[in-house]
Amino acid sequence: MHCLTERQQGFVDRAAALADRFAERAQLHDRENTFPHENYEDLREAGFLQLSVPAELGGEGAELADILPVLERLAMGDGATALAFTMHLSPLGQWGSVWRRTGNPRLEALLRQASEGTLVWASITSEVGLRNDMTDALTKAVKVPGGFTLSGRKSFATNSAVATHCSTTARYEDAEGGPRVLLCQIALDQPGVRIHQTWDTLGMRGTQSNDVELSEVFVPDEAVVHSLPVNHLDARVLETVWAWAMPAFSATYTGIAAGALDFAVRRLTKRGRPIDPVVQDAIGECTILLESSRALMYRHAEEVASRRLFDLGVQEATARCALVKYVASNNAVKVLQRLVDVIGGMSYTRALPFERMWRDAQAGTFMPMGNLAARKLIGASALGVRTAPSIGFAETGHDSRAKEPAPAP
């Protein structure tokens, strides 16, 4: 694993104790297609639900570089729990980062709710038939007195089994100047919200990423936290979604692969095979793949912390975020496949955890930003081709290095 600071190691040690418990429960939840509620209670009792909330607001103040090894270690025990937890941990970290710079009072209120344990978050934006890149939505927003009503159906709603609130997107067709994508906050227990039990998948079964139907769900004006023209790349979305979510997903899938590698090493050692050159080759290649992923993740975390990432321009910076997730998720798949060569039939039995890890790893390549979308964006950026109009920090109302309070994101 990446060389950790003393503070990060402390977080990881706490995560390790949880991950070992999660590993004992993972097979049952995978087989029964159920959400691991007891794992979430363990996360709550361990104080991890407040991990990325600023310390000044009652949390532990973990930065992006701090949460990555935590997610990786949790995913070594159960990738589904780690991925669900990512949907809470990453948004709080995003907001905490913005709050530290701007002092935004609305963000402060949300973060204090999280530190008090009354808010658990989910990001629910995916829709069947639409690429989930935060530039459009099929869900419709209709203007009503005091706000909007939202109607539509969201898919892949990871963490909706335990979340109290979520961020979501809707298209407001009648906006002045043309259609806009609204980024909204809603409570999952408010009228018009219904969760449909649709989740029955190859892997990541424990996430229970079911469909969420919105039927004229009222969103007050103050809960519309941002909007952007349809089919535009946006600096605010870059800062609060892509810059954090991509490395967080990366850490989760890297953790799944690291768990599989740990399993393989222990089994192969027990069978007396460490001196086999073929085994050494496989384990060496897998270690190299994981360390390559970690190097990119922690480079990215440093670029976010220093804010150098946001000086690149919106498209270039978004492509750089996509690169981190692309490499890590594909490396994870390669690790699992390579290990099959040396552990053989053990990889195929459901009595052992490797088979579940193998299936769980497959989801990484199509989660946002999916492989095809990432390659196209990275390639276009390298070629100097603009894929869409970009809205920079100045247009969103604050500079990338601004010290004054910005409009509520």
Side-chain angles (χ1 to χ4, degrees):
M1 184 178 284
H2 172 78
C3 292
L4 303 176
T5 66
E6 183 177 351
R7 170 179 164 82
Q8 290 168 346
Q9 188 61 57
F11 290 147
V12 170
D13 290 343
R14 289 164 57 191
L18 294 174
D20 290 345
R21 274 182 255 165
F22 298 171
E24 295 174 356
R25 303 165 179 158
Q27 183 186 49
L28 179 64
H29 288 293
D30 177 71
R31 282 180 180 260
E32 297 188 351
N33 197 33
T34 52
F35 187 85
H37 288 279
E38 64 273 44
N39 291 356
Y40 238 87
E41 286 307 307
D42 286 346
L43 288 165
R44 187 187 300 277
E45 291 176 11
F48 269 31
L49 296 188
Q50 296 82 32
L51 188 65
S52 57
V53 175
E56 308 94 303
L57 304 182
E60 300 207 36
E63 303 278 1
L64 180 57
D66 300 323
I67 73 170
L68 297 180
V70 168
L71 290 170
E72 179 178 339
R73 186 63 186 87
L74 292 174
M76 289 179 69
D78 181 16
T81 297
L83 186 61
F85 181 45
T86 296
M87 304 301 179
H88 170 79
L89 189 65
S90 175
L92 295 186
Q94 298 162 22
W95 301 337
S97 176
V98 175
W99 176 81
R100 287 187 184 98
R101 197 176 71 259
T102 67
N104 186 283
R106 282 173 51 198
L107 282 181
E108 179 175 334
L110 283 171
L111 291 164
R112 286 194 184 278
Q113 280 185 270
S115 71
E116 294 163 1
T118 58
L119 180 144
V120 177
W121 206 259
S123 178
I124 301 177
T125 59
S126 179
E127 295 173 308
V128 174
L130 188 71
R131 188 174 68 238
N132 189 13
D133 60 4
M134 306 291 287
T135 65
D136 202 354
L138 297 177
T139 296
K140 302 300 182 185
V142 176
K143 191 72 180 80
V144 296
F148 295 84
T149 60
L150 272 52
S151 297
R153 185 160 175 146
K154 302 294 185 178
S155 58
F156 292 99
T158 303
N159 216 39
S160 58
V162 290
T164 60
H165 297 74
C166 76
S167 49
T168 193
T169 52
R171 179 175 173 133
Y172 177 35
E173 197 70 37
D174 299 325
E176 183 178 350
R180 297 183 74 86
V181 181
L182 308 184
L183 279 65
C184 310
Q185 295 173 345
I186 62 173
L188 287 173
D189 63 354
Q190 70 184 80
V193 179
R194 181 184 176 192
I195 297 177
H196 294 271
Q197 188 70 36
T198 54
W199 193 247
D200 188 10
T201 52
L202 173 72
M204 285 295 183
R205 292 168 62 79
T207 65
Q208 285 301 290
S209 304
N210 291 295
D211 285 10
V212 174
E213 181 182 5
L214 308 177
S215 180
E216 297 187 351
V217 174
F218 178 68
V219 178
D221 286 326
E222 60 268 23
V224 179
V225 297
H226 188 47
S227 75
L228 61 142
V230 166
N231 295 325
H232 281 59
L233 298 175
D234 182 85
R236 189 74 62 85
V237 174
L238 162 66
E239 181 183 22
T240 58
V241 178
W242 298 120
W244 279 72
M246 295 301 95
F249 294 162
S250 300
T252 299
Y253 287 99
T254 298
I256 293 169
L261 178 59
D262 179 69
F263 168 84
V265 166
R266 286 187 284 107
R267 287 288 174 143
L268 292 166
T269 299
K270 186 176 180 180
R271 292 187 170 195
R273 295 187 61 195
I275 61 172
D276 184 336
V278 174
V279 169
Q280 293 171 2
D281 177 73
I283 300 303
E285 181 181 3
C286 292
T287 301
I288 290 165
L289 288 167
L290 292 179
E291 287 300 322
S292 299
S293 297
R294 291 173 183 136
L296 272 180
M297 287 191 296
Y298 288 99
R299 184 190 74 177
H300 178 88
E302 193 281 325
E303 290 176 349
V304 170
S306 67
R307 299 196 62 79
R308 291 201 311 276
L309 177 72
F310 308 118
D311 292 335
L312 298 177
V314 176
Q315 179 173 316
E316 289 76 7
T318 303
R320 201 163 176 85
C321 298
L323 174 66
V324 176
K325 187 263 177 181
Y326 181 93
V327 170
S329 58
N330 283 277
N331 279 357
V333 171
K334 291 176 185 176
V335 167
L336 271 294
Q337 187 60 53
R338 186 70 176 93
L339 290 173
V340 170
D341 293 343
V342 289
I343 65 173
M346 284 191 292
S347 65
Y348 213 58
T349 175
R350 300 192 70 184
L352 297 173
F354 187 93
E355 179 265 352
R356 169 178 48 82
M357 295 171 176
W358 195 5
R359 288 184 285 107
D360 284 351
Q362 307 309 312
T365 60
F366 59 82
M367 279 189 69
M369 189 175 288
N371 276 0
L372 178 58
R375 287 194 300 265
K376 288 171 65 178
L377 179 61
I378 294 165
S381 299
L383 292 164
V385 176
R386 300 299 89 190
T387 62
S390 294
I391 302 172
F393 283 100
E395 293 94 332
T396 64
H398 72 287
D399 181 79
S400 68
R401 296 182 183 274
K403 300 299 181 185
E404 297 301 315

